[in-house]
Amino acid sequence: MRIFRPLTSIVLIGLLSVPVAAQNSRVSESGKFKPRFSVGFDFTPEWCLSRKGSIDNYDPGNRFYPTFGVNFQTELSQHDGIQLGAYYRTFHYTQTMPGYTVPGNGDYYVDPYRSGYDGKYVSVQLSYRFYSRILDFSAGFNADFVVGKNSDLRIGGKPELTWEGADPVNLYGFVLRFSKDITLYRGLILQPEVHVNPCIDIDGAYRGTFLGCGVGLKYRF
């Protein structure tokens, strides 16, 4: 599928940049700091906030979404690092229209309808990360690529099985995170976090803001 081509490119660029940057850090720091690497799994439930009717009379709704994925981190110096993550997330749209009567010769009634879809995404996120003893902070960008959808249309309360529905679009945004590393055993680390992620589409239309609060488990090599 064409959707995986840009996704693969972003992941490869991010992964290849990590060892190169780490090598440069090793030379510049002259042995003062040894770069460290970690890999982890995150479960970060999200709440999506969006202005009703902001996109073609569709309402994304303020609702909860389970989100999970993996991340790779490298600490280039005592306080600076890079984080690359890939997450699976969903995004729901709903459009409703009440029933109404069309006046004129032979008045007729138009049944109410509700249509919507669940867009399924792989979110690729690349961020700069600042490490401290009290709290870690990261800021970066995300590109969410559509990998599937579930559509639904109901007219007069009855489902229309032949309706293909609207197509979800790719999302792009800015990600801001705050987290804390809690060492469980040697290199095994628990990492609670909160994040905010406003998103737009390719045309610049605002699509919603993801607010997340979750926990990760990573291993530092």
Side-chain angles (χ1 to χ4, degrees), residues 1-10 122 145-147:
M1 296 176 62
R2 290 183 297 175
I3 188 63
F4 290 104
R5 294 178 181 175
L7 174 61
T8 304
S9 300
I10 291 177
V122 170
F145 300 102
V146 179
V147 294

Side-chain angles (χ1 to χ4, degrees), residues 49 61 102:
L49 304 178
V102 179

Side-chain angles (χ1 to χ4, degrees), residues 63-177:
R63 59 174 62 204
F64 164 83
Y65 299 94
T67 300
F68 56 88
V70 295
N71 76 80
F72 305 89
Q73 297 179 27
T74 179
E75 298 176 45
L76 305 178
S77 69
Q78 183 178 357
H79 297 293
D80 305 301
I82 296 174
Q83 177 173 332
L84 174 66
Y87 302 89
Y88 176 82
R89 65 169 28 159
T90 57
F91 198 19
H92 181 81
Y93 290 91
T94 300
Q95 184 182 39
T96 59
M97 179 69 70
Y100 61 94
T101 299
V102 179
N105 295 329
D107 293 349
Y108 64 91
Y109 180 73
V110 177
D111 289 327
Y113 79 87
R114 179 180 64 83
S115 63
Y117 65 78
D118 289 300
K120 302 177 181 180
Y121 294 86
V122 170
S123 177
V124 179
Q125 303 179 6
L126 183 62
S127 304
Y128 161 78
R129 193 172 184 88
F130 178 81
Y131 298 90
S132 71
R133 292 183 179 181
I134 300 175
L135 201 64
D136 296 343
F137 160 83
S138 69
F141 300 93
N142 70 289
D144 292 8
F145 300 102
V146 179
V147 294
K149 71 169 183 177
N150 292 325
S151 300
D152 177 67
L153 173 64
R154 293 177 180 271
I155 299 178
K158 299 179 179 180
E160 295 291 327
L161 301 179
T162 59
W163 188 69
E164 294 185 0
D167 291 324
V169 297
N170 295 341
L171 304 175
Y172 308 91
F174 177 79
V175 186
L176 188 65
R177 278 191 176 86

